Amino acid sequence: MIENKTREKEDEGMASNSRRDFLKKSSVITAIALTPVAAVKASDLKLDERLSEAIEQMSLSIEINGQQYNLKVEPRLTLLDLLRERLKLTGTKKGCDQGQCGACTVHVDGVRTNSCLSLAVMNDGAKVTTIEGLANGHELHPMQEAFIKHDGFQCGYCTPGQIMSAVACIHEGHANSETEIREFMSGNICRCGAYANIVNAIREVKAGGKV
Amino acid sequence: MSKKHLENADMELAMSRVDGRVKVTGAAKYTAEVQLPELTYGVLVESTVGQGVITSIDTKKAEWAPGVIAVISHLNTPGVPEYKLQNQDVIQKQLRVFNDANVYFNGQPIAVVVADTLERAQYGASLVKVTYSKEKSFSNLKDNIARAIVPKKAKADPKGMTSDFIRGRAEAYKDAEFQVNEEYIQPSEAHHPMELHSIIATWDAEDKLTLVDKTQGSQQTAASIAKSFQLPAENVKVLSTYVGGAFGSALRVWPHEIVAILAAKKVQKPVKLVLHRNQMSYMVGYRPYTLQKVAIGASKDGKILGLSHESYGKTSMYEEFTENVLIMSRMMYDIPNVDTKYRIVPLNVSTPAPMRGPGEATGSFALECAIDELSYKLKMDPIELRLVNYAAQDPDKKIPWSSNFLKECYQLGADKIGWNKRKAEPDSIQDGEWKVGYGVATGTFGAFRNAASVKATFKPDGTLLLQSAIADIGPGTATSMTAIAAKNLGIQPENIAFQLGNSTFPKAPMQGGSNTVATVGSAVVATCDNLKVELAKRAAKQKPEWNNAIPKNISIVGTQLVNSDEPSSKVEIASLFKEDNLSELVIKGDAAPGEESKKYSFYSFSVHFIEAHVHELTGVVRIKNAVSVIDCGTVVSPKTARSQSMGGIVGGIGMALMEDVVIDDRTGRTVTASFGDYHVPVQADIPQMEMMFVNEKDPYLNPMGSKGLGEIVIIGVAPAVANAVYNATGKRVRHLPITPDKLI
């Protein structure tokens, strides 16, 4: 009990009264409402934490690259971290984690999206395509072929985002001139500086009409 | 003019990257993407004061948060054994991670929270409460120039580039009829490779470590970590198969890597630690803010009589960072009187790091702008002025260049960009609302070669595997090495695999300072030659005439070994394995530099031409055309070389027009830490560009005839932009970046 009280006191001392703090307190209170012995035990096992953990999971139904996933996730999980850390789909890159570089670009229901700015749970019922889902089996997507041919990358880290953006750029009708491509591809940073080659790749694919 | 030179069209058709497919499909696994069982996540807690002492760290709430496994700080660190040793290198003193309560810069890692998921570690880190005894911090170089010191390195190496230097007379420019005497400022620039710096640390045993780590040198990182943790060198294994750019930021071990290793020790599980983008501006080095004073004096005919160049660069409170800002002033032009002075200013900032084209890029900005300024005073074409002062041999070392095709570079580039369209009088060309100007500047960087080894595994089916510890941070090392091996052996590139980025592979230097092709390429050639000798020895048992075969005449054509001296004596490759029933042939090759650097001065050269359009109302600068002409010896992989050069121009445009790490000097906090505030060139900022290579071999540096490329493609770009802006507007901006506010 003594330990419990100390912890409660610390909680009260916090300026912010977050949802997590509330959950912690309420679960501790629930534990106290049981028997004192059980409460001590609950505290030792950090049962309150486990309780809040369980409550904080939300269900998510999402289709990624044609595969259906039914998941339980924390609401603060981003779509990007769901892909990279939970589902091991690491083709989608984390470059800034704040929507400024485009490395994490994926298609959500056909629209290019910075997956780092989208919480996973916001995509319930959505169809997501990542770089891993772009090729048709062993046969590369024309944009992937064009990136290789025109050397549209060096280190390759921004490349999946560039390619996903490039495909969408054509679909959106924003690839009608070199200037237009530059403007509509400016959300994808390439620090190696392959920009001119990327433009050439997109122009060729657009001209080929395969996208 | 030689027809050897390469232009865009020649290079677009060349061999594509061998790792293209894995990079465009997302299959390439960068550091943070390597999967390990029981992986945990580390998130750093940073200091929020610029200087002071930590008085308390309250970790209880963090420790209690779901999923948090440990919170580690100086209060409970397992410790870094090296910190206890007495005889530490006093010049390169790394930040001692979690060693004590001292804070030296705002953003210093002071604790780490380890949890079972990333979200939980991030939340846990937000719960750590730290109090400080805060002291005044100093982060502004100009305000603190009185704190400038002579680096210890200068005292240790009196003939080095950081020591005070005089050739002829000091301040001889004062006697010349035409003078330029100006101050130039290069602000701090962050490398910001697109891949965040990341590490996964695993203790395999009490004295055994495996690191998946973003590094430009797997073996150098392994050696540094082994020293820090006092482990046998062979017990530290470092993997860095794919590196998503670095530009110099991964040339050493940084605090976050030590943190991850300490954390893994504490939790006895693999710890993954990925820096946040904002942390990338102050935790993994940066091009240091540098103030330069350049004075040049010349006679009416343009002959430069004297050059004085001083440099003051930022460094941290705990470590002296120096770079070769002044080298170009000593060797680029034939100037009888040169004096240089190099100082550093210790401040409450983290330690800088070499950033692409390192000090040379910074130095070239001041020198090549000053030369341009002189050309206007002389009313002489800036190319002509450079040719008047062309150095026929290295004026610093006083030995011949190994090769120098600068004159060809000026000519090719001037023709390509249409230099004749340039008007000598600034602010003369108008295109609607835009003022148009042309600028030129020169770049140079030492061409280096180190020792390396390569292991070859050759199979009866004619496939070849080559291995080297070298990193590939993006230039396409596996591609250029494959091209070298294919050319040497005659094997088709698709039958060659080149593996790298593994400290257990044969010896290689770091990928930095433009030395990879010269160094590892030489070892590839040596290995291929050894392989041919071995194959010929085996062939001689079937056909004795193979005893006389020399490597350069031997090649592998299809399934056969062929000697061009004896075309009839072909043997089947597969038959060479039969006698001792070998399944594969393993051959090693070593290569190291010889005495050549005593006889010749090795430099790569570049000349950059820029056409800038400046909007007269808003001051916006648009680069409309860029031409780089490069003397890097023989080009071994034209397509990737072209891309690397374009990348240099893009980096140089960023340096010239937008990149600026701004620190709030009241707190020492970096203000422009995110891409929202720290602008790098984006697609809309970059035009189509023409990259040209003289493509004349260097006879002395290595068997391929190549020199270095990675640095010279950026060195000289920023001054070429500044010079073009001056030509367009008549406004000379000596404090980068050239933002619109400086032009209106």
Side-chain angles (χ1 to χ4, degrees):
Chain A
M1 276 311 287
I2 292 163
E3 203 188 340
N4 257 340
K5 273 183 183 162
T6 319
R7 282 184 183 170
E8 273 192 86
K9 217 170 187 178
E10 276 166 16
D11 279 352
E12 283 158 12
M14 279 240 329
S16 69
N17 216 347
S18 66
R19 181 167 165 269
R20 178 174 299 282
D21 289 328
F22 170 76
L23 284 168
K24 268 188 209 157
K25 281 179 195 167
S26 55
S27 61
V28 170
I29 291 161
T30 315
I32 292 165
L34 304 171
T35 67
V37 180
V40 173
K41 209 167 183 187
S43 168
D44 284 349
L45 295 170
K46 292 191 179 170
L47 241 166
D48 49 342
E49 294 300 342
R50 292 190 186 164
L51 218 69
S52 63
E53 190 181 328
I55 295 165
E56 288 187 3
Q57 299 278 327
M58 291 177 72
S59 45
L60 168 66
S61 173
I62 188 169
E63 187 187 312
I64 301 167
N65 300 333
Q67 194 181 329
Q68 186 63 38
Y69 295 87
N70 296 308
L71 306 162
K72 286 270 193 188
V73 300
E74 287 192 32
R76 61 186 168 184
L77 177 73
T78 64
L79 177 57
L80 174 60
D81 288 327
L82 169 71
L83 294 169
R84 284 175 65 83
E85 305 298 339
R86 284 277 304 262
L87 305 179
K88 319 298 180 202
L89 290 167
T90 54
T92 306
K93 305 302 182 192
K94 182 181 280 189
C96 71
D97 216 16
Q98 49 203 2
Q100 295 170 337
C101 80
C104 65
T105 306
V106 298
H107 297 171
V108 178
D109 296 327
V111 177
R112 53 173 156 166
T113 303
N114 284 338
S115 60
C116 74
L117 288 187
S118 180
L119 295 170
V121 292
M122 291 159 64
N123 297 281
D124 195 39
K127 286 185 181 174
V128 175
T129 306
T130 73
I131 191 73
E132 289 94 341
L134 200 60
N136 181 12
H138 193 71
E139 189 193 334
L140 293 179
H141 186 280
M143 192 64 77
Q144 292 171 316
E145 292 281 9
F147 264 65
I148 294 175
K149 179 183 163 192
H150 291 278
D151 212 28
F153 53 92
Q154 286 192 60
C155 79
Y157 196 79
C158 74
T159 312
Q162 298 278 1
I163 291 174
M164 297 311 283
S165 226
V167 170
C169 186
I170 294 180
H171 281 155
E172 293 160 9
H174 290 145
N176 299 305
S177 70
E178 203 173 310
T179 313
E180 194 183 27
I181 293 169
R182 289 224 175 89
E183 196 61 34
F184 282 86
M185 286 300 290
S186 281
N188 289 81
I189 296 174
C190 169
R191 193 62 165 145
C192 299
Y195 294 128
N197 290 346
I198 291 170
V199 167
N200 291 341
I202 297 171
R203 294 191 81 185
E204 183 178 277
V205 176
K206 163 78 179 166
K210 282 187 253 174
V211 173
Chain B
M1 194 70 237
S2 139
K3 295 294 282 178
K4 271 188 184 169
H5 77 262
L6 298 170
E7 303 190 22
N8 275 0
D10 306 312
M11 296 184 275
E12 280 162 1
L13 299 170
M15 186 174 106
S16 293
R17 269 166 217 273
V18 295
D19 49 2
R21 192 182 175 93
V22 289
K23 286 185 174 177
V24 301
T25 55
K29 296 269 181 255
Y30 296 81
T31 293
E33 300 162 0
V34 172
Q35 307 299 333
L36 290 172
E38 287 195 277
L39 190 64
T40 65
Y41 296 80
V43 170
L44 295 172
V45 178
E46 306 171 14
S47 73
T48 54
V49 300
Q51 178 151 261
V53 178
I54 299 165
T55 48
S56 74
I57 299 188
D58 181 358
T59 59
K60 283 206 192 76
K61 290 200 81 67
E63 281 163 8
W64 214 38
V68 170
I69 302 163
V71 183
I72 304 149
S73 69
H74 71 282
L75 300 173
N76 62 342
T77 174
V80 179
E82 188 189 13
Y83 298 164
K84 298 194 179 76
L85 301 180
Q86 292 299 313
N87 57 341
Q88 283 195 65
D89 186 338
V90 289
I91 296 173
Q92 290 294 324
K93 199 170 83 179
Q94 293 189 9
L95 180 76
R96 296 183 181 193
V97 179
F98 300 168
N99 194 54
D100 51 43
N102 292 328
V103 172
Y104 301 97
F105 68 93
N106 199 321
Q108 178 180 321
I110 52 173
V112 63
V113 174
V114 185
D116 59 350
T117 72
L118 176 59
E119 292 74 28
R120 289 164 165 195
Q122 282 168 340
Y123 181 65
S126 75
L127 298 176
V128 175
K129 300 286 174 242
V130 185
T131 58
Y132 307 88
S133 161
K134 192 178 152 185
E135 292 158 32
K136 186 171 162 52
S137 67
F138 304 89
S139 52
N140 187 296
L141 184 135
K142 278 194 99 167
D143 292 350
N144 295 288
I145 201 117
R147 294 165 175 255
I149 56 167
V150 176
K152 292 189 187 81
K153 191 176 177 180
K155 293 164 196 159
D157 177 18
K159 289 190 172 167
M161 282 296 156
T162 58
S163 300
D164 289 1
F165 168 82
I166 300 174
R167 176 164 78 236
R169 287 180 298 125
E171 300 190 324
Y173 72 91
K174 287 181 173 168
D175 305 335
E177 190 183 352
F178 294 86
Q179 293 178 22
V180 170
N181 189 352
E182 297 292 349
E183 256 184 40
Y184 301 86
I185 291 175
Q186 160 69 59
S188 293
E189 261 194 293
H191 302 73
H192 279 313
M194 291 315 297
E195 183 199 20
L196 301 163
H197 273 248
S198 315
I199 179 170
I200 305 174
T202 310
W203 287 89
D204 302 316
E206 188 65 20
D207 63 346
K208 216 164 169 235
L209 255 177
T210 297
L211 307 175
V212 187
D213 196 9
K214 180 185 179 98
T215 170
Q216 292 176 244
S218 56
Q219 291 177 334
Q220 292 70 25
T221 292
S224 174
I225 296 293
K227 187 168 167 243
S228 291
F229 287 86
Q230 298 289 297
L231 301 171
E234 63 277 14
N235 284 15
V236 182
K237 180 179 175 183
V238 176
L239 302 169
S240 58
T241 313
Y242 292 99
V243 180
F247 313 108
S249 63
L251 284 169
R252 62 174 298 181
V253 171
W254 293 107
H256 73 274
E257 292 163 273
I258 302 289
V259 169
I261 295 166
L262 290 171
K265 182 135 210 161
K266 194 87 172 172
V267 304
Q268 291 293 305
K269 282 180 182 175
V271 172
K272 171 154 85 177
L273 199 157
V274 179
L275 292 190
H276 189 263
R277 173 55 61 189
N278 295 23
Q279 295 171 332
M280 299 275 290
S281 17
Y282 48 83
M283 280 199 195
V284 289
Y286 52 92
R287 186 191 301 285
Y289 182 109
T290 304
L291 167 75
Q292 297 173 73
K293 298 176 183 181
V294 178
I296 308 183
S299 53
K300 202 170 187 298
D301 57 3
K303 193 79 193 88
I304 299 172
L305 305 173
L307 167 63
S308 301
H309 192 166
E310 292 177 23
S311 173
Y312 299 81
K314 276 190 182 184
T315 193
S316 64
M317 289 292 189
Y318 48 87
E319 189 168 15
E320 294 192 355
F321 176 80
T322 62
E323 54 184 359
N324 292 339
V325 175
L326 303 170
I327 188 169
M328 196 164 163
S329 286
R330 280 167 61 163
M331 52 60 70
M332 189 69 221
Y333 299 107
D334 187 20
I335 305 172
N337 304 295
V338 176
D339 57 297
T340 67
K341 196 169 118 183
Y342 186 83
R343 298 289 182 271
I344 49 175
V345 184
L347 295 167
N348 292 109
V349 293
S350 58
T351 307
M355 178 168 165
R356 197 174 197 179
E360 288 82 345
T362 301
S364 79
F365 163 61
L367 175 66
E368 290 295 288
C369 282
I371 296 274
D372 197 66
E373 298 201 40
L374 181 63
S375 78
Y376 286 93
K377 291 207 168 168
L378 289 161
K379 298 195 188 308
M380 183 183 260
D381 184 286
I383 296 177
E384 180 62 25
L385 175 58
R386 287 175 172 87
L387 290 171
V388 165
N389 293 286
Y390 174 80
Q393 67 163 10
D394 182 343
D396 186 39
K397 295 181 197 144
K398 297 185 173 60
I399 50 176
W401 306 113
S402 63
S403 60
N404 180 332
F405 294 94
L406 259 177
K407 289 179 176 175
E408 287 78 358
C409 291
Y410 289 121
Q411 188 62 53
L412 280 168
D415 292 347
K416 183 58 77 178
I417 196 137
W419 189 250
N420 54 2
K421 288 181 286 182
R422 175 186 178 271
K423 300 278 184 250
E425 187 65 33
D427 195 5
S428 295
I429 309 175
Q430 193 85 17
D431 179 7
E433 294 179 346
W434 299 81
K435 295 171 182 291
V436 179
Y438 295 84
V440 65
T442 312
T444 185
F445 192 79
F448 301 103
R449 178 178 168 185
N450 293 300
S453 304
V454 165
K455 180 179 155 190
T457 307
F458 187 56
K459 299 212 162 171
D461 63 2
T463 58
L464 178 71
L465 169 67
L466 298 169
Q467 291 172 316
S468 160
I470 192 74
D472 179 10
I473 60 173
T477 300
T479 307
S480 51
M481 295 305 128
T482 299
I484 290 167
K487 189 177 174 203
N488 184 292
L489 293 169
I491 301 179
Q492 291 302 304
E494 54 270 27
N495 288 331
I496 301 171
F498 191 90
Q499 293 179 343
L500 45 67
N502 182 326
S503 65
T504 66
F505 287 168
K507 174 184 169 174
M510 287 194 278
Q511 179 155 75
S514 307
N515 87 106
T516 301
V517 168
T519 301
V520 185
S522 298
V524 167
V525 169
T527 308
C528 291
D529 284 349
N530 290 350
L531 174 63
K532 289 195 279 193
V533 168
E534 174 63 25
L535 292 173
K537 202 162 43 164
R538 288 169 171 261
K541 289 177 186 163
Q542 295 174 28
K543 298 184 176 176
E545 60 268 32
W546 277 96
N547 278 321
N548 306 320
I550 53 171
K552 83 173 170 65
N553 294 333
I554 303 171
S555 62
I556 293 160
V557 181
T559 61
Q560 293 177 317
L561 191 70
V562 178
N563 180 0
S564 60
D565 261 358
E566 302 256 1
S568 58
S569 65
K570 294 172 187 164
V571 292
E572 285 293 322
I573 299 282
S575 73
L576 304 175
F577 292 77
K578 279 191 181 137
E579 134 199 30
D580 41 10
N581 234 344
L582 275 183
S583 61
E584 60 188 28
L585 208 52
V586 177
I587 300 281
K588 261 188 91 173
D590 310 308
E595 299 287 290
E596 64 274 0
S597 65
K598 288 183 183 156
K599 287 191 222 152
Y600 301 99
S601 180
F602 292 92
Y603 283 89
S604 294
F605 300 96
S606 57
V607 180
H608 307 286
F609 293 82
I610 294 286
E611 179 188 336
H613 291 212
V614 183
H615 195 262
E616 58 183 355
L617 288 175
T618 62
V620 164
V621 180
R622 290 259 173 254
I623 307 301
K624 284 290 174 180
N625 194 9
V627 175
S628 288
V629 196
I630 289 155
D631 167 19
C632 64
T634 302
V635 178
V636 301
S637 173
K639 191 183 272 194
T640 56
R642 174 174 170 269
S643 295
Q644 198 176 0
S645 308
M646 291 199 310
I649 290 266
V650 174
I653 289 173
M655 182 175 170
L657 298 182
M658 54 196 92
E659 296 188 37
D660 190 359
V661 175
V662 176
I663 290 178
D664 181 343
D665 293 317
R666 296 167 304 176
T667 60
R669 192 81 188 160
T670 300
V671 179
T672 55
S674 82
F675 281 141
D677 305 298
Y678 184 89
H679 293 178
V680 300
V682 299
Q683 184 63 266
D685 298 315
I686 301 302
Q688 290 292 337
M689 299 169 273
E690 181 71 55
M691 300 296 114
M692 305 175 83
F693 291 84
V694 179
N695 199 28
E696 289 281 356
K697 78 178 248 185
D698 183 284
Y700 306 112
L701 188 64
N702 60 61
M704 293 79 60
S706 71
K707 295 192 280 189
L709 180 60
E711 320 302 320
I712 48 161
V713 294
I714 189 170
I715 298 167
V717 176
V721 172
N723 296 343
V725 168
Y726 178 75
N727 185 244
T729 63
K731 285 178 184 159
R732 178 64 66 177
V733 180
R734 302 184 185 91
H735 185 161
L736 295 180
I738 307 169
T739 42
D741 54 298
K742 292 172 185 166
L743 294 173
I744 52 174

